Amino acid sequence: MPGRLLRGLWQRWRRYKYRFVPWIALNLSHNPRTLRYVPEESKDKVISDEDVLGTLLKVFQALFLNDFNKQSEILSMLPESVKSKYQDLLAVEHQGVKLLENRHQQQSTFKPEEILYKTLGFSVAQATSSLISAGKGVFVTKGLVPKGAVVSMYPGTVYQKYEPIFFQSIGNPFIFRCLDGVLIDGNDKGISKVVYRSCNGRDRLGPLKMSDSTWLTSEIHNPLAVGQYVNNCSNDRAANVCYQEFDVPAVFPIELKQYLPNIAYSYDKQRDINQGEELFSNYYTIVS
């Protein structure tokens, strides 16, 4: 019995160590190929934010159109200008068809990974990693990924530096630390899963979803939301992708937020400060 327990712990450690920050740090000197040098935070960009945003909008818009027959509630809350934009896009895709009235009978939907391939020329998915005992990995399942392309997103709950994450982090190999100290919990199990679902339900505005929670299931609506399973490189397997941080702009189309696989841990409703109000800070920054 003790031997079986020790073997189980050892196997779990062999999978976990590839994501255990102290272990990675101690082994950098033995494998310089695993280290990506960034001289300054401002220079940590392989492609521009505009290109990242353009890719996300392109993929999300294609997913939205593919699932158009289920978007009626959302469309009813959008301005006429936005509705007409999607009408025009649908008309281009299906020339000569009465799309909005008969879409339920005439539409043949594609799987999300098929939409990704049609949109970007490749598709990605989770599978057993080629690294021994590394668990899951992410593979290009179809097509060719060109240099500078967005290949995945790191999903999860976003924590500011001052927010509690102790219990969520215990035994959790999916905590990603950004350059500014912000943490993303990409674990799709346990307490991390419960926290994400809770925050996802909290921020929903009627039929309008502010984030995607399907990455927690086997039925993923956003095929890019697999970045938490991209493993660190090894001596035998050089890195072929790198992380790049991106802040979703406030003007991001509200109807496409249903595909964003991230949610803030704390609800922070930004608003103007009225005359006569007392100022209260979070003890980290004071800005107007």
Side-chain angles (χ1 to χ4, degrees), residues 38 118 281:
V38 179
K118 286 174 171 288
S281 79

Side-chain angles (χ1 to χ4, degrees), residues 218-284:
S218 58
E219 300 286 333
I220 299 178
H221 290 179
N222 175 5
L224 291 173
V226 293
Q228 80 276 35
Y229 283 106
V230 174
N231 284 303
N232 195 45
C233 59
S234 67
N235 285 317
D236 301 324
R237 302 297 175 92
N240 50 16
V241 295
C242 63
Y243 292 101
Q244 177 168 318
E245 297 175 17
F246 172 74
D247 293 323
V248 177
V251 295
F252 197 86
I254 194 169
E255 71 275 10
L256 301 182
K257 288 187 176 182
Q258 61 182 296
Y259 302 110
L260 290 173
N262 299 100
I263 193 76
Y265 175 72
S266 295
Y267 180 70
D268 183 19
K269 184 178 180 182
Q270 297 181 353
R271 63 180 181 85
D272 298 331
I273 303 175
N274 298 318
Q275 179 179 341
E277 283 192 68
E278 182 180 355
L279 302 182
F280 297 96
S281 79
N282 59 18
Y283 298 99
Y284 280 84

Side-chain angles (χ1 to χ4, degrees), residues 133-147:
S133 300
K136 292 183 180 179
V138 177
F139 292 80
V140 178
T141 56
K142 189 176 182 181
L144 177 69
V145 179
K147 184 178 180 180

Side-chain angles (χ1 to χ4, degrees), residues 30-141:
H30 301 108
N31 186 7
R33 296 177 65 192
T34 65
L35 177 64
R36 176 173 172 239
Y37 175 66
V38 179
E40 299 177 22
E41 291 186 14
S42 60
K43 295 182 180 179
D44 185 33
K45 299 289 181 183
V46 177
I47 60 176
S48 68
D49 285 347
E50 290 75 17
D51 289 339
V52 174
L53 178 60
T55 297
L56 297 185
L57 290 176
K58 186 177 181 180
V59 173
F60 291 0
Q61 191 174 81
L63 292 170
F64 185 86
L65 291 173
N66 181 64
D67 207 24
F68 197 80
N69 62 329
K70 297 180 181 178
Q71 307 290 349
S72 57
E73 280 189 299
I74 294 176
L75 286 169
S76 67
M77 302 183 67
L78 299 178
E80 288 298 326
S81 59
V82 178
K83 293 180 186 178
S84 62
K85 179 189 72 172
Y86 287 113
Q87 288 179 349
D88 294 340
L89 289 171
L90 286 169
V92 170
E93 289 188 5
H94 306 272
Q95 305 236 348
V97 179
K98 299 291 186 182
L99 297 164
L100 297 180
E101 294 80 7
N102 305 316
R103 186 112 179 123
H104 290 279
Q105 292 77 24
Q106 295 173 349
Q107 185 186 31
S108 58
T109 58
F110 296 94
K111 294 181 179 179
E113 56 269 26
E114 294 174 329
I115 294 298
L116 183 62
Y117 176 73
K118 286 174 171 288
T119 307
L120 299 184
F122 64 86
S123 58
V124 293
Q126 300 176 35
T128 302
S129 176
S130 58
L131 294 174
I132 298 175
S133 300
K136 292 183 180 179
V138 177
F139 292 80
V140 178
T141 56

